[in-house]
Amino acid sequence: MVTPDNPLTQPPELILTYRNFGNLDRWGGDLAFDILMTDRVSLNGGYSFVNKNFFPRSEVGGVSDVALNAPKAKATLGVAYREQPTGITVDVRGRWNDDFPMNSGVFVGTVKSYTVVDASVAYRFPFAQNTIVALNVQNLLNDKHREFVGAPELGTLAIAQVQVAF
């Protein structure tokens, strides 16, 4: 452990840090695909899996349980429409996260499973090919959920963007 040596302050009386629990055995994998259905429409998705996201203290030899703070499984599925001559892009994607245990400081509990739909639309101006206007909407259906224990509930989030390349 390293503590800063600052001549303007006294050395700390108490230091809080994370503990190394040694080796934890886990494995997982990710799969992703992007299928071009036509020259303008594509289907895309992904799936992630990890075999363990919780390690009891008896297994890690520690004073408390260890949570990965992530789901064992999560997936996405989306469709995209891209029309290059007019510069229009439309994406719709569903995201699913399985529930998972969480243990991070005072934030201990279970994050419930959730499924949300995201959408985006972008347009490249024909008279200004270096300019793109976009609107991204996360959680389009306003499914109130928490993605971390202690965090506020999330609803719909819309982000407008103007991108100029030069």
Side-chain angles (χ1 to χ4, degrees):
M1 175 170 24
V2 177
T3 58
D5 184 15
N6 186 339
L8 300 176
T9 63
Q10 295 181 8
E13 306 253 344
L14 178 65
I15 298 174
L16 299 175
T17 185
Y18 293 97
R19 180 174 172 216
N20 184 349
F21 284 95
N23 295 328
L24 301 176
D25 292 325
R26 65 182 169 91
W27 57 269
D30 298 313
L31 295 172
F33 65 90
D34 195 355
I35 301 170
L36 301 174
M37 308 295 281
T38 70
D39 61 336
R40 295 180 181 168
V41 178
S42 64
L43 181 68
N44 56 70
Y47 179 78
S48 296
F49 175 81
V50 66
N51 72 319
K52 274 183 115 170
N53 64 356
F54 182 78
F55 303 87
R57 67 177 149 214
S58 60
E59 187 177 325
V60 296
V63 295
S64 66
D65 302 328
V66 176
L68 191 58
N69 295 341
K72 279 187 175 182
K74 59 185 176 178
T76 64
L77 181 63
V79 63
Y81 174 83
R82 289 178 178 79
E83 191 172 310
Q84 294 304 325
T86 61
I88 294 175
T89 302
V90 179
D91 291 297
V92 178
R93 177 183 63 171
R95 292 184 289 129
W96 168 79
N97 274 24
D98 199 3
D99 58 354
F100 62 92
M102 202 191 108
N103 186 346
S104 181
V106 297
F107 302 107
V108 179
T110 300
V111 175
K112 294 180 183 175
S113 176
Y114 61 89
T115 303
V116 294
V117 176
D118 303 329
S120 67
V121 61
Y123 179 72
R124 181 184 304 268
F125 292 102
F127 55 87
Q129 287 291 303
N130 61 340
T131 304
I132 299 172
V133 175
L135 176 65
N136 298 301
V137 181
Q138 297 175 359
N139 194 1
L140 185 67
L141 304 177
N142 200 31
D143 173 38
K144 303 276 187 184
H145 67 284
R146 296 186 198 285
E147 295 186 6
F148 215 68
V149 172
E153 276 190 329
L154 297 177
T156 300
L157 172 66
I159 302 169
Q161 173 183 355
V162 177
Q163 177 182 331
V164 178
F166 52 97

